[in-house]
């Protein structure tokens, strides 16, 4: 089965979102079709990348992850990371706290206490609970996993800075409390993840650099 997904005006979920939210519909029309691939080949390396990127810019996080790939000889796997010392991890720019998180997750996997494939069969809340039980993995990291690895359709990432930046722009508000976002975005359900993908793409393509106008 192909790992490439496409969202466009022919997709029932996107048609639904456009009917429910006029502001989002305009963004969807401007952005156009979105094609994406899921990070299913190496779920472990995706989580390591997300842990590294916590509290950093995407550019800085990617730079450090690239160094990790280099010292892992191209494959960031539990076995490769386990063979590295904490000192080696810190020397490429990973903080001591994140080294502890990565080490803990790595050991959990190698001991067989975490099976990524089993997460595919769990409901969203239980999958998040299973991931956040690991040291250093919070709701943000777990939700990124659900959206970008498991392709769960109804995850609302209100903990994510990029999402919040676009949310402020789209709705012309500074109220980004979880309660307010959940209330306003309730109309996206059950396709919150796909709405979020368009929010991210709006930011990535520079749409948010200019004020949002619904009718202009």
């Amino acid at each position: 089965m192909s790992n490439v997904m496409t969202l466009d005006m022919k997709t029932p979920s996107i048609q639904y979102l456009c009917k429910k939210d006029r502001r989002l519909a305009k963004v969807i029309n401007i952005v156009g079709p979105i094609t994406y691939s899921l990070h299913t080949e190496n779920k472990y390396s995706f989580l390591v990348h997300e842990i590294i990127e916590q509290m950093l810019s995407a550019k800085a996080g990617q730079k450090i992850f690239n160094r990790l790939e280099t010292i892992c000889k191209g494959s960031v796997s539990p076995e490769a990371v386990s063979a590295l010392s904490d000192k080696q991890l810190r020397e490429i720019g990973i903080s001591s706290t994140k080294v502890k998180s990565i080490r803990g997750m790595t050991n959990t996997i190698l001991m067989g206490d975490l099976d990524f494939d089993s997460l595919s069969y769990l409901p969203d809340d239980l999958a998040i609970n299973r991931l956040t039980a690991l040291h250093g993995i919070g709701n943000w990291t777990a939700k990124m996993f659900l959206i970008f690895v498991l392709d769960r359709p109804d995850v609302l990432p209100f903990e994510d800075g990029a999402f919040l930046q676009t949310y402020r722009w789209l709705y012309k508000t500074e109220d980004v409390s979880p309660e307010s976002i959940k209330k306003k975005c309730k109309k996206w359900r059950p396709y919150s993840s796909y709405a979020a993908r368009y929010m991210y793409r709006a930011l990535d393509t520079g749409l948010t650099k200019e004020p949002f106008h619904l009718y202009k």
Side-chain angles (χ1 to χ4, degrees), residues 11-199:
T11 312
S13 57
I14 301 307
Q15 294 172 355
Y16 176 90
L17 289 169
C18 287
K19 289 177 183 177
K20 291 289 185 176
D21 189 333
R22 292 182 302 164
R23 288 177 175 268
L24 182 64
K26 181 162 186 179
V27 170
I28 289 171
N29 276 287
I30 294 172
V31 169
I34 289 179
T35 300
Y36 63 93
S37 298
L38 299 177
H39 297 264
T40 55
E41 292 304 311
N42 197 334
K43 300 178 178 73
Y44 169 80
S45 69
F46 177 87
L47 279 177
V48 170
H49 180 280
E50 296 304 285
I51 290 172
I52 289 173
E53 197 174 288
Q54 289 171 9
M55 308 302 290
L56 296 175
S57 68
K59 185 177 180 180
Q62 187 60 49
K63 190 173 182 179
I64 294 171
F65 185 79
N66 289 344
R67 292 179 194 145
L68 179 61
E69 275 191 318
T70 298
I71 63 174
C72 287
K73 297 180 173 58
S75 178
V76 179
S77 65
E79 293 77 14
V81 171
S82 181
L84 300 173
S85 68
D86 289 359
K87 183 173 182 288
Q88 284 176 295
L89 294 173
R90 290 195 299 269
E91 283 176 344
I92 62 170
I94 304 176
S95 69
S96 296
T97 301
K98 292 178 182 178
V99 167
K100 182 180 178 182
S101 298
I102 292 169
R103 186 72 70 200
M105 180 178 72
T106 303
N107 291 338
T108 299
I109 293 167
L110 290 175
M111 289 188 295
D113 293 333
L114 175 62
D115 176 18
F116 285 122
D117 291 337
S118 69
L119 296 177
S120 301
Y121 302 100
L122 294 178
D124 291 352
D125 56 343
L126 293 183
I128 288 173
N129 288 344
R130 184 69 186 89
L131 288 167
T132 54
L134 298 171
H135 176 78
I137 293 184
N139 282 336
W140 175 77
T141 305
K143 286 185 176 182
M144 294 300 102
F145 188 89
L146 263 64
I147 294 172
F148 295 109
V149 177
L150 301 182
D151 199 33
R152 295 295 173 87
D154 196 28
V155 178
L156 185 61
F158 53 77
E159 300 89 348
D160 185 64
F163 176 85
L164 296 179
Q165 187 175 337
T166 311
Y167 178 88
R168 289 188 185 96
W169 166 79
L170 182 62
Y171 295 110
K172 298 182 183 295
T173 181
E174 287 301 317
D175 183 358
V176 291
S177 63
E179 295 76 17
S180 178
I181 294 173
K182 283 188 278 188
K183 183 177 180 181
K184 187 169 292 286
C185 298
K186 186 178 180 181
K187 56 194 168 190
W188 293 352
R189 302 193 71 180
Y191 303 115
S192 302
S193 300
Y194 302 148
R197 283 186 178 274
Y198 272 95
M199 300 283 271

